[in-house]
Amino acid sequence: MLNRKLIVIICCSLLIQTSFTTHTAAQSQPATIKTRWAKNVTPDNVLPEYPRPQLSRSAWTSLNGTWQYAILPKAQAQPAAFAGDILVPYPVESALSGVQKTVGKDSVLWYKRTFNIPSSYKNKQVILHFGAVDWQTDVYINGQHAGTHKGGYDPFSFNITPLLKKRGAQEITIKVWDPTDQGPQPRGKQVTNPQGIWYTPVTGIWQTVWLEPVAATYIASLKPTPDIDNKTLSLQARVENLQPGDQVKIKARDGDQTVAEETLQNATAAATLNIPSPKLWSPSSPFLYDLSVAVVRKGKVIDEVKSYFAMRKISMEPDEKGVQRMLLNNKFVFQYGPLDQGWWPDGLYTAPTDEALKFDIEKTKAMGFNMIRKHVKVEPARWYYYCDQLGMLVWQDMPSGDLGNGWENRPGVLGRATDKDRTAESEQIYRTEWKAIMDALYPFPSIVVWVPFNEAWGQFKTEEITKWTEDYDPSRLVNSASGGNFYPVGHMIDLHSYPDPAMPRADLFGKQQALVLGEFGGLGLPLEGHTWQQKDNWGYRSFKNADDLFKVYSRYCERMKDLIKAGLSAAVYTQTTDVEMEVNGLMTYDREVIKVPVEKLKAVHDDMMK
């Protein structure tokens, strides 16, 4: 009975029809609602924070701010003239961009601006970085093609040094094509016609654009892997243009105290640092070690970066009843957190400010949650940095795309659906971007679970993709299919149940996989003056006041105690904030109202998880 109910609820959620007020294109058109941080956004103050905390250098230049834009038919050449200004990196469809226009699959979005190279960059290689651009990006510097990138959620860069003029202003032009839900690429919850659980498209630049001067030989990435059982940290540094005899020097610190040092004579090898009496990272004690890595040539430092790492372990083992349990640092910790979509009424995919980006995590922590499921979206690096700092476990979804699977009602099978028969192109797009996302996010210790698929949305070759994910990163757990199309692969079996909490049967599944409730709840409460639209808002269950909502939520938490005793390892409540038509958030979409006081939520969560 539960299986049929689950399937009906999921199918209905995909079909819910609500009205939607389309944004007008005029620059002066305000967002339906805005956050308090929007007023702090000016062309001279656009996300000025350093964008890559896990690999930092002191010298860099932000290219956020005012650019020119044009929207042209896909087949048309570069524009001779541009339509007006756009504020980068806010998506062109967002209010904060100053544009609020839709692009669509038959058009392309062009950007242009000029910039100057600081004199301190002389004799350096200049790297042009993009945090994320959705979806296909072509970059031109002074009229010459610098490179192409396909992928809406992974960072990428180009060495533009050979394309720069010796003096004067440099010109950058960018062409972006994004078919949204009319192409096979990952796109999360973006659709051409927003309704129900599907939201406004996001096209073009949506994370920081920046320049970085580096030496000809420079550190491109770091891959830290902690081992708390052996009290070691393995560190792999990828160095571009290594020369014979180059050394890599690594130093780990606890505050001012050096706890480990290593010099690699073979700079391509992995270092193993012994970490004595390691301080373990957890939500209750999110301790981070500082890390410095330098390339040294004949005693001279050629390049150096600052970073950090944590000593923590995620694993699973059977309990005394033989039921698999998710463990943190070799101890069972019930993981409980909200489904976090990461959308903003004024910036869509892009938080208006860094303070706003951190706010959601801080409030989630204050509510007594210890985990966040980042739902079919990838955030800027600074979001994960704050999760590392504040002590928040993260389940990271792969953004879904190429949907169209059909649910099947197979007797005796939990939430089974057909795998998607993707084209070779679609498969390759998925594989390439999933690998790039995992590579980019690997250094963040807060991430403990990878989620390749959600509710059979574009799910294909489940066993193969899951096995690849497990092999590519054996340091984390893999939730192969959250809420649908279950196979006996991956570390957990994940049920979605709305609105009441439930769990997969321990006697059928618990011996091989950890049991988790990947989504439940969805208790809706629209608050006048804080909704995306005036009517036809919805939740999985609707309430007229916060007191009645909290009574039901408290009952769910009481029910959860029994589920935890029965073998449940984790649960995810829908959701952190309202999003567009959905009003089932713990906070309103504009973050102005926390519907249930933080203290009441923390008290009921502490009682549930004690």
Side-chain angles (χ1 to χ4, degrees), residues 353-472:
T353 68
D354 191 66
E355 181 185 2
L357 188 73
K358 188 178 182 182
F359 176 86
D360 283 2
I361 308 167
E362 290 177 319
K363 291 304 177 186
T364 301
K365 182 82 173 181
M367 291 173 187
F369 293 107
N370 61 10
M371 176 262 280
I372 292 171
R373 180 181 168 202
K374 179 50 63 177
H375 191 41
V376 294
K377 185 200 176 192
V378 176
E379 292 291 353
R382 292 189 67 85
W383 187 88
Y384 301 94
Y385 169 60
Y386 289 133
C387 288
D388 292 345
Q389 279 192 330
L390 296 171
M392 188 61 70
L393 301 169
V394 175
W395 293 17
Q396 178 60 55
D397 287 11
M398 170 63 177
S400 50
D402 205 358
L403 278 62
N405 310 34
W407 285 92
E408 293 182 353
N409 189 3
R410 301 183 188 178
V413 180
L414 179 65
R416 195 66 181 268
T418 56
D419 266 1
K420 172 77 172 180
D421 184 17
R422 290 199 182 195
T423 65
E425 178 195 21
S426 175
E427 282 195 23
Q428 189 57 52
I429 288 170
Y430 176 99
R431 294 173 191 271
T432 299
E433 191 155 2
W434 186 220
K435 178 181 179 298
I437 289 168
M438 291 179 66
D439 285 341
L441 300 184
Y442 187 95
F444 295 100
S446 54
I447 298 175
V448 293
V449 174
W450 298 117
V451 187
F453 299 111
N454 175 76
E455 288 188 359
W457 294 353
Q459 186 176 340
F460 73 101
K461 295 184 178 177
T462 307
E463 293 169 296
E464 180 184 335
I465 295 297
T466 301
K467 184 64 165 60
W468 180 89
T469 305
E470 289 178 323
D471 291 344
Y472 196 63

Side-chain angles (χ1 to χ4, degrees), residues 158-446:
F158 301 113
N159 186 335
I160 62 171
T161 313
L163 307 180
L164 296 174
K165 296 185 292 187
K166 291 184 179 180
R167 60 183 62 85
Q170 316 286 337
E171 182 183 87
I172 178 172
T173 308
I174 299 173
K175 174 185 177 183
V176 182
W177 176 66
D178 177 22
T180 310
D181 57 342
Q182 296 178 308
Q185 83 292 347
R187 45 87 176 178
K189 286 201 167 185
Q190 305 174 58
V191 292
T192 305
N193 298 303
Q195 54 187 323
I197 64 169
W198 308 103
Y199 315 138
T200 302
V202 169
T203 303
I205 299 169
W206 66 275
Q207 290 186 29
T208 291
V209 185
W210 54 294
L211 300 172
E212 181 181 35
V214 297
T217 298
Y218 67 96
I219 300 163
S221 67
L222 298 176
K223 187 177 181 179
T225 306
D227 183 340
I228 69 168
D229 298 321
N230 292 306
K231 302 178 181 179
T232 61
L233 177 82
S234 171
L235 182 69
Q236 179 75 56
R238 181 168 67 85
V239 183
E240 296 290 338
N241 302 316
L242 270 171
Q243 302 299 310
D246 285 352
Q247 299 175 329
V248 173
K249 292 194 173 184
I250 303 162
K251 185 176 292 187
R253 291 188 178 89
D254 175 354
D256 295 331
Q257 180 183 1
T258 298
V259 297
E261 290 183 271
E262 182 74 22
T263 298
L264 291 175
Q265 304 300 328
N266 177 5
T268 61
T272 299
L273 302 180
N274 294 309
I275 310 296
S277 303
K279 297 179 179 179
L280 302 185
W281 183 97
S282 70
S284 61
S285 180
F287 182 82
L288 300 173
Y289 289 91
D290 293 320
L291 188 67
S292 62
V293 183
V295 178
V296 178
R297 182 178 299 156
K298 297 179 180 179
K300 180 182 178 182
V301 174
I302 302 299
D303 184 39
E304 184 173 18
V305 296
K306 304 296 183 183
S307 188
Y308 64 89
F309 68 94
M311 297 298 290
R312 70 98 182 92
K313 177 184 177 182
I314 186 72
S315 60
M316 59 181 240
E317 288 184 6
D319 63 14
E320 65 280 359
K321 298 178 182 178
V323 177
Q324 293 288 343
R325 295 284 193 166
M326 295 173 63
L327 307 180
L328 179 66
N329 300 332
N330 297 322
K331 297 179 181 179
F332 173 62
V333 174
F334 183 71
Q335 298 185 31
Y336 185 51
L339 192 74
D340 194 303
Q341 314 255 21
W343 286 73
W344 301 82
D346 34 32
L348 300 180
Y349 258 15
T350 310
T353 68
D354 191 66
E355 181 185 2
L357 188 73
K358 188 178 182 182
F359 176 86
D360 283 2
I361 308 167
E362 290 177 319
K363 291 304 177 186
T364 301
K365 182 82 173 181
M367 291 173 187
F369 293 107
N370 61 10
M371 176 262 280
I372 292 171
R373 180 181 168 202
K374 179 50 63 177
H375 191 41
V376 294
K377 185 200 176 192
V378 176
E379 292 291 353
R382 292 189 67 85
W383 187 88
Y384 301 94
Y385 169 60
Y386 289 133
C387 288
D388 292 345
Q389 279 192 330
L390 296 171
M392 188 61 70
L393 301 169
V394 175
W395 293 17
Q396 178 60 55
D397 287 11
M398 170 63 177
S400 50
D402 205 358
L403 278 62
N405 310 34
W407 285 92
E408 293 182 353
N409 189 3
R410 301 183 188 178
V413 180
L414 179 65
R416 195 66 181 268
T418 56
D419 266 1
K420 172 77 172 180
D421 184 17
R422 290 199 182 195
T423 65
E425 178 195 21
S426 175
E427 282 195 23
Q428 189 57 52
I429 288 170
Y430 176 99
R431 294 173 191 271
T432 299
E433 191 155 2
W434 186 220
K435 178 181 179 298
I437 289 168
M438 291 179 66
D439 285 341
L441 300 184
Y442 187 95
F444 295 100
S446 54

Side-chain angles (χ1 to χ4, degrees), residues 545-558:
N545 61 71
D547 288 339
D548 288 345
L549 184 153
F550 183 65
K551 288 177 184 176
V552 172
Y553 182 79
S554 297
R555 289 202 299 268
Y556 289 172
C557 290
E558 281 297 315

Side-chain angles (χ1 to χ4, degrees), residues 89-108:
Y90 303 107
V92 66
E93 295 90 348
S94 72
L96 283 174
S97 73
V99 180
Q100 282 189 295
K101 290 182 180 179
T102 300
V103 181
K105 69 178 180 64
D106 297 321
S107 300
V108 293

Side-chain angles (χ1 to χ4, degrees), residues 524-527 546 549 578 583-588 593-597:
L525 176 64
L527 295 178
L549 184 153
D578 297 345
V583 290
N584 46 28
L586 294 164
M587 296 186 283
T588 55
V593 182
I594 299 175
K595 298 178 185 180
V596 176

